[in-house]
Amino acid sequence: MESYRKNIRVFLAFFGPTAGWLVLFFFVPLAIIWIYSFGENSSLTTIKTTWTLDNYKRLFEPEIIGLFWRSVWLSVVSTAICIVMAYPIAMVIATASRKAKPWLLLVIILPFWTNLLIRTYALLNILGTRGRLNDLLHWFWNMGHGALELVGLGSLLGEQFEPIVFLGTPGGVMIGLVYVYLPFAVLPIYSSLERLDRNYLEASLDLGASQWHTFRKILLPLSISGINTAAIITFIPLLGSFLIPNLLGRGQVDMIANVIERQFKSANDWPFGSALSLFLLYITFIILAIQSFAAMRKRNQENG
Amino acid sequence: MSEEPIISIRGVTKKFGSFTALKDISIDIRPGEIFALLGPSGCGKSTLLRIIAGLETATEGDILIAGQDMTDIPANKRPVNMVFQSYAVFPHMTVADNVAYGLKLEKRPKAEIEAKVSEALAQVHLSDFSHRMPDQLSGGQRQRVALARALVKRPRVLLLDEPLSALDAKLRDAMRLELVKLQETVGVSFVMVTHDQSEALAMADRVAVLNDGILRQLDTPAALYKTPCDRFVADFIGSINMFSVTGQAADGADAILSVRELHDIRLPTSRLPAVGGPLTIAVRPERVRVGDSPPDKDCCISAEGKLGDVAFQGNSSIVEIILEGGASIVALATESEADILMQAETGSPICAWWNSEDMLLLPDSAIPGND
Amino acid sequence: MARKRRDRAGPFEYSRKLSLRIAFLLSAVFLYAPIVVLVVFSFNNSRRGGNVIWKGFTTKYYDKAFHNDSLVEAFTNSLTIAVVSTIFAVILGAMTAVVLWRFRFPLKPVFEGMVALPIVIPEICMGVSLAVFFSSFGLYVPSESPFPLNLTNIIIAHITFSFPFAAMVIRTRLTTFNREMEEAAKDLGATEFQVFRDILVPHMKPGLIAGALLAFTLSLDDFVITFFTSGPNTVTFPVKVYSMVRFSVTPEINAASTILILVTLIVTAVAMRFQSFEEVEK
C-alpha cells in the first residue's frame, strides 16, 4: 500500500467521485431527514425547522412503544427460528461432497436472488384462509379425522375443519419473515462450519464423547461466531422490513417501517416519519457497535 | 511371539468408491511396543490408523483390540485414543479442560479428575500451563496437551498420526527421544503413522512399510535396512544404489546376470529371490569402496568410472562415481579414503567395488501377483 | 474370513445422515413451494383473483400480461434502471475498491465505514431520506421528461445502494493481485494509466463481472427504495406489481412474476457460467 501523497492526482481521481457521490446522495439526504426530525409541519406541504423535540417525545407514546416492542419481538423470534432452521442446512452443505456442495448452496441462495416482492406475493397464495397451506392442513385433518373415527374418537378434532388464519396475524408475518431471511442465516453458519477442522470433532469422539455431546460441547461452541454473524445479518434487515408485514400483516401487524411509510405516503407527517427513521437507524448502529465491540474484545483476548 | 496381540488387524480392505486405499492388510501389534506404519503420502497408512480408532469403517476385514471384535463398536467406545496430526486441541477450552474432557465423560469424581489431570500434565511437563488457552501455546506444547489428553484416558493403545511432522527440525529430534521415554513410562503400545523413514527407524520396535495400500514388509528397523524384501522397501528405507538386471542366464549352479551399467555378475542360483519377475541389484553406499582398483577381483563386483562430486560430512564423505553412459554410484567413503579422493581432480578415473555378499537381489514386489 | 459390509456414513458426514437430509429437504420445500405454486397457478384458467382452484391449463394470462401496456412499461423501466445503474455502480465500485486497496490515507477506516453504511442501514431509512432529498431540493426530474431521463431519480438511488456491494466484491478480487506485476510493468516502461489499463483492469475483470451481476440483481430486486423515489409515471415492475396486488390477486400477476423469475434464473445461470469459466482459467 502506498501513501496517498505519493500519487495525489491518481488518488484524487479515484477518491473524489466515490466520496462525492456518497456524500451527495447518501449523507446529505440523511442529514436532511435529521434536520426534518426537529421540524414541524407549518402547512400541508411546508416544513419549518423549529428544533423542537416533539417528534422524539412522540416516540414514547404507548402506541409507538407498542409498535417497537412488536417489531423487536417479531424480529427476535424470527431470527431465532431462522438460525435453528439454518444450522442443520449448513451442516449438510458443509459436509457434502465437493461435487454436491455448490448445488446445495445454490438451492439455498437462489430464492435470495428472486425478487422479494414476488416471493412475498407468492406467500399470499399459500397463507390465505383458502390458500395452499390450509388445503394441506385440511387434507391432514381429513386423514386424521378419518383415522380417529375408525377408533371411535371422531369428535377429537372437532366437527369441521377450521382453516387457520395466517394473514393479518403475527404468526403469518413471522412465517413470511423466516421465509425471506432464512438464506441470510445459512451462509455465515455454513462458512464457519466449513472452516472448522474436522479433527476437533473426531478428537472428541475418540475421547469418548457421544455425537450429541460432541455437538453441544465442541461443534456449537466452535461455530458460535458464525451463529452470531448470522443473528446480526438476519436481525438488522428483519427489524426494518416493510413488505412482509405490509402484505401479510394487512395493516394489523405493523412493524416500524410500515408506520414510517405511512407518515410519508398518507399521514403526511414528515418530521415524525424522519424521527422514526432515525430512531430505527440508531438501533441498527447500536447493534452493530455492540457486535464490533464484542469482536474486538475477543480479538484482544486472543492476542493477550 | 506367544504373547497375545493387543491389536489384531485381520484382512482389512478399504475402498473409497472405486479407489482401493488398503488392500487385505493383516498386522498384529504386541503389547508395549512402538509400532510404526511407514509409507509415502497416500499409501493408506493414516486410513488404517483411523480404521483402528473407529473414525473410518473398513470395507472388509476386522479389527480386534485385546481380543475383542471392534466392528460394531463406535469410536467413542473403543479403548484406544489418538493424537491427531493437527493435534485438534479444543481451542475454546483451557489446557486443563482439554485434558479433563475425556475423564469428565466417564463421570469420574471431581477430585479424581483433578488429580489425574495434574499427573498427566506433569508427565508432559506442562504443569504451569494448565490455565492457558491453546492459542497461547507453541506447536510443541500443543502436541503435549494432545498427548496428555489421550494418555489420561489410559488407553490400551495410543495412536499417533504423523506425531512429529508439524514440529520444526530441532524440536522434532528432541521429541523423538521424549516420545520413546514417555512410552517406556506409561507402558502402553504406541502405533504411529509416519512418512519419515528415519523417524520410524529411530523410534519404532517394529515397522510396517505400506505402499499403494499394500503391506510390503513388516519387520524390525534393522531387518528392514539389512534385508529389504523388494525394490520399493530398499529404496524407501535409507539410501541405496540400484541397477536393473537386463538379462539372466544359467551356467550350472550359477546364474549370470547382465546389468547395463556393470560387468556381468556371476552368482550361485540359490541367492536369487523366490519370486520371479524383474530383478534389481542393490548396494548400500557404506558398502561401496572406492580407490584405484579392487584388492581381489574375484569376490568383488567392480565398476570403473570417473570421479564426480565429493560431499564432506565430517567423519565420512559422500562420493559420486560417474559410470560410462551417465549412471552413477554413490559411495560413503571413510575418512582415509576421502583424504585421497580430495587430492584427485574431478573427472579423474576411479574404481568402485563391493563384496558380492553385501549386494542385495531384489524383486519388484515380494508379493506374488502384485505389480 | 473377511466379511463384506455396507459402507456406513462416517461419524461427521452429516450430509449422509437421514435426519439431516430430511431437514434440508423440508427447508428446501419451504423455500420453493410458494414459488412453484405461483408458477403453476400462472397457468390456471381461472378468472377469479384468488385462484383457489385449478381450472385447467392456459397461457392466456401471459398473453394478457404482454399486452398490458403499463405492465410492459414498468418492466422496461425496471430493466433500463438495472442496466444503467449497474454500469455506474461497477465504475464507482471499482474506483472505491482501488482506493481502499491501493492507498494509505488519513481517516481511511472512517471512509471504509462510510462505504459500508449503505449496505447495513435499513432500506426504509435510505428510501425515505432520498425521497425527501429529491423533493426538498426540487431535484425531482419531471415525470414527463423523455425516457429514460424520467428515471434519473430511481437510477441515482439504485447506484447509491448497489455500488458499495460492487466495491466489496471487486476489492476481494484485488486482494489476490500481485503487486510485483504492477512493478514489473512500470519497470518495462508503462505509465500509471497504462498499468491500470493493461494490468489492473484485466485482473479485476472477474470481480467486475461478479460485481455487475450483483448490482443488476439488487436493482431488479429492489422494492422499498424504488417505492419512495418513483413518481406516479415512473413505475418499476415491483412497484407496479405491488399496486396490483393491493387491489386484487390475478393470474396476470402470477404470469408477470414468472417472467421476472425467469429473468433472474437466466442472470444466475450467466453468473455461474462466468464463475466456472474463471475456475477453468485458473
Side-chain angles (χ1 to χ4, degrees), chain C residues 158-210:
Chain C
H158 281 215
I159 295 168
T160 310
F161 74 69
S162 58
F163 92 84
F165 283 95
M168 238 173 33
V169 174
I170 298 166
R171 195 183 173 190
T172 316
R173 173 70 196 171
L174 276 176
T175 54
T176 63
F177 182 74
N178 179 1
R179 282 306 290 258
E180 283 179 2
M181 303 243 282
E182 189 183 332
E183 285 159 5
K186 277 189 187 160
D187 181 61
L188 295 169
T191 63
E192 193 69 52
F193 176 72
Q194 283 165 334
V195 168
F196 181 73
R197 188 194 57 193
D198 300 340
I199 312 292
L200 201 57
V201 170
H203 178 83
M204 284 199 297
K205 210 174 111 198
L208 296 176
I209 292 168

Side-chain angles (χ1 to χ4, degrees), chain A residues 37-116:
Chain A
S37 72
F38 297 104
E40 45 195 308
N41 273 12
S42 56
S43 76
L44 212 61
T45 49
T46 52
I47 295 158
K48 237 172 72 193
T49 312
T50 55
W51 301 106
T52 169
L53 289 175
D54 283 356
N55 298 311
Y56 287 97
K57 281 185 194 138
R58 278 179 64 191
L59 295 177
F60 297 96
E61 284 172 9
E63 198 188 327
I64 301 298
I65 289 194
L67 169 76
F68 283 142
W69 173 236
R70 180 166 56 235
S71 304
V72 169
W73 82 255
L74 273 174
S75 308
V76 168
V77 175
S78 306
T79 305
I81 297 174
C82 279
I83 286 171
V84 169
M85 284 179 74
Y87 206 95
I89 297 177
M91 278 164 88
V92 170
I93 304 177
T95 58
S97 71
R98 200 186 303 197
K99 236 162 88 190
K101 207 173 268 186
W103 292 104
L104 294 178
L105 267 175
L106 187 69
V107 165
I108 300 303
I109 299 174
L110 201 54
F112 170 74
W113 283 342
T114 312
N115 194 292
L116 172 65

Side-chain angles (χ1 to χ4, degrees), chain C residues 33 115 126 168 177 252-253:
Chain C
V115 174
M126 211 161 140
M168 238 173 33
F177 182 74
E252 204 180 328
I253 305 177

Side-chain angles (χ1 to χ4, degrees), chain A residues 184-210:
Chain A
F184 282 67
V186 174
L187 294 181
I189 298 176
Y190 160 74
S191 71
S192 76
L193 291 181
E194 171 80 14
R195 267 181 282 132
L196 190 82
D197 184 357
R198 226 173 70 157
N199 279 351
Y200 290 133
L201 308 178
E202 292 177 342
S204 166
L205 206 67
D206 184 66
L207 292 167
S210 63

Side-chain angles (χ1 to χ4, degrees), chain A residues 16-32, chain C residues 114 129-130 133-134 137 139 156 160 163:
Chain A
T18 49
W21 186 283
L22 208 57
V23 167
L24 183 60
F25 295 118
F26 187 73
F27 288 100
V28 169
L30 282 179
I32 294 173
Chain C
M114 278 168 58
S129 67
L130 278 165
F133 171 78
F134 288 134
F137 277 88
L139 278 175
I156 288 174
T160 310
F163 92 84

Side-chain angles (χ1 to χ4, degrees), chain C:
Chain C
M1 226 8 254
R3 286 175 276 145
K4 251 206 161 10
R5 57 178 75 94
R6 214 166 57 86
D7 204 13
R8 271 182 295 179
F12 300 106
E13 287 176 287
Y14 296 122
S15 60
R16 290 177 63 184
K17 291 247 153 73
L18 186 66
S19 56
L20 283 166
R21 280 184 168 187
I22 291 174
F24 186 91
L25 202 72
L26 286 180
S27 303
V29 168
F30 172 63
L31 287 175
Y32 284 90
I35 297 173
V36 171
V37 169
L38 176 130
V39 172
V40 169
F41 277 80
S42 70
F43 297 104
N44 187 13
N45 192 2
S46 144
R47 216 157 25 83
R48 273 242 337 258
N51 52 35
V52 178
I53 297 151
W54 182 254
K55 289 246 175 86
F57 180 85
T58 177
T59 52
K60 73 175 175 201
Y61 292 102
Y62 284 86
D63 201 45
K64 239 178 144 179
F66 279 119
H67 288 98
N68 182 334
D69 286 343
S70 62
L71 204 58
V72 171
E73 193 196 326
F75 203 82
T76 322
N77 283 348
S78 272
L79 286 178
T80 313
I81 293 164
V83 169
V84 178
S85 69
T86 297
I87 293 168
F88 280 93
V90 169
I91 295 171
L92 276 177
M95 290 166 86
T96 316
V98 169
V99 165
L100 288 174
W101 166 74
R102 178 163 170 186
F103 293 104
R104 240 178 309 117
F105 54 94
L107 293 179
K108 185 175 175 181
V110 175
F111 180 65
E112 251 183 293
M114 278 168 58
V115 174
L117 259 190
I119 297 175
V120 295
I121 83 160
E123 274 185 299
I124 186 101
C125 299
M126 211 161 140
V128 163
S129 67
L130 278 165
V132 171
F133 171 78
F134 288 134
S135 76
S136 61
F137 277 88
L139 278 175
Y140 259 124
V141 178
S143 303
E144 310 80 51
S145 3
F147 175 85
L149 277 178
N150 54 351
L151 303 171
T152 309
N153 285 328
I154 306 177
I155 290 172
I156 288 174
H158 281 215
I159 295 168
T160 310
F161 74 69
S162 58
F163 92 84
F165 283 95
M168 238 173 33
V169 174
I170 298 166
R171 195 183 173 190
T172 316
R173 173 70 196 171
L174 276 176
T175 54
T176 63
F177 182 74
N178 179 1
R179 282 306 290 258
E180 283 179 2
M181 303 243 282
E182 189 183 332
E183 285 159 5
K186 277 189 187 160
D187 181 61
L188 295 169
T191 63
E192 193 69 52
F193 176 72
Q194 283 165 334
V195 168
F196 181 73
R197 188 194 57 193
D198 300 340
I199 312 292
L200 201 57
V201 170
H203 178 83
M204 284 199 297
K205 210 174 111 198
L208 296 176
I209 292 168
L213 289 164
L214 184 61
F216 191 82
T217 5
L218 283 172
S219 169
L220 266 193
D221 190 30
D222 181 72
F223 167 74
V224 173
I225 292 170
T226 318
F227 184 54
F228 281 95
T229 46
S230 61
N233 295 321
T234 53
V235 161
T236 64
F237 184 77
V239 175
K240 177 72 192 167
V241 171
Y242 177 75
S243 64
M244 286 167 84
V245 171
R246 302 217 70 184
F247 290 117
S248 70
V249 176
T250 67
E252 204 180 328
I253 305 177
N254 289 4
S257 303
T258 305
I259 295 166
L260 191 66
I261 290 171
L262 210 64
V263 172
T264 317
L265 277 178
I266 291 166
V267 174
T268 312
V270 170
M272 304 249 306
R273 248 290 140 76
F274 269 112
Q275 256 162 6
S276 54
F277 271 139
E278 217 181 293
E279 273 158 33
V280 170
E281 270 174 42
K282 276 179 201 161

Side-chain angles (χ1 to χ4, degrees), chain A residues 50-288:
Chain A
T50 55
W51 301 106
T52 169
L53 289 175
D54 283 356
N55 298 311
Y56 287 97
K57 281 185 194 138
R58 278 179 64 191
L59 295 177
F60 297 96
E61 284 172 9
E63 198 188 327
I64 301 298
I65 289 194
L67 169 76
F68 283 142
W69 173 236
R70 180 166 56 235
S71 304
V72 169
W73 82 255
L74 273 174
S75 308
V76 168
V77 175
S78 306
T79 305
I81 297 174
C82 279
I83 286 171
V84 169
M85 284 179 74
Y87 206 95
I89 297 177
M91 278 164 88
V92 170
I93 304 177
T95 58
S97 71
R98 200 186 303 197
K99 236 162 88 190
K101 207 173 268 186
W103 292 104
L104 294 178
L105 267 175
L106 187 69
V107 165
I108 300 303
I109 299 174
L110 201 54
F112 170 74
W113 283 342
T114 312
N115 194 292
L116 172 65
L117 180 75
I118 291 175
R119 292 211 287 150
T120 315
Y121 165 68
L123 266 186
L124 273 176
N125 251 330
I126 303 290
L127 296 179
T129 30
R130 293 171 69 191
R132 302 291 85 72
L133 185 55
N134 270 315
D135 285 352
L136 191 71
L137 291 173
H138 197 165
W139 184 77
F140 277 125
W141 186 90
N142 282 341
M143 300 283 285
H145 189 72
L148 285 173
E149 227 155 36
L150 284 178
V151 288
L153 291 166
S155 56
L156 207 65
L157 286 173
E159 284 305 300
Q160 213 183 332
F161 173 71
E162 289 290 339
I164 299 175
V165 181
F166 291 106
L167 298 179
T169 66
V173 172
M174 210 129 73
I175 292 175
L177 292 172
V178 172
Y179 174 68
V180 167
Y181 293 104
L182 180 60
F184 282 67
V186 174
L187 294 181
I189 298 176
Y190 160 74
S191 71
S192 76
L193 291 181
E194 171 80 14
R195 267 181 282 132
L196 190 82
D197 184 357
R198 226 173 70 157
N199 279 351
Y200 290 133
L201 308 178
E202 292 177 342
S204 166
L205 206 67
D206 184 66
L207 292 167
S210 63
Q211 286 269 345
W212 172 243
H213 191 91
T214 303
F215 173 76
R216 248 185 23 186
K217 295 283 173 165
I218 309 291
L219 189 59
L220 217 48
L222 289 181
S223 56
I224 197 76
S225 68
I227 295 176
N228 282 341
T229 313
I232 301 273
I233 217 173
T234 317
F235 184 81
I236 288 175
L238 259 168
L239 189 66
S241 56
F242 165 78
L243 252 182
I244 301 144
N246 182 281
L247 288 178
L248 303 181
R250 302 203 147 156
Q252 282 147 55
V253 197
D254 279 345
M255 288 173 68
I256 303 173
N258 305 102
V259 178
I260 295 175
E261 184 252 0
R262 216 168 296 140
Q263 305 311 314
F264 284 90
K265 289 262 173 177
S266 49
N268 212 12
D269 190 349
W270 290 22
F272 180 56
S274 301
L276 265 176
S277 308
L278 285 168
F279 189 73
L280 180 60
L281 199 61
Y282 296 150
I283 297 178
T284 311
F285 286 161
I286 290 167
I287 295 168
L288 287 173

Side-chain angles (χ1 to χ4, degrees), chain B residues 258-280:
Chain B
S258 35
V259 177
R260 194 176 303 128
E261 297 88 348
L262 305 170
H263 307 297
D264 284 356
I265 297 165
R266 175 181 278 270
L267 283 168
T269 313
S270 58
R271 283 201 61 194
L272 296 180
V275 276
L279 266 183
T280 301

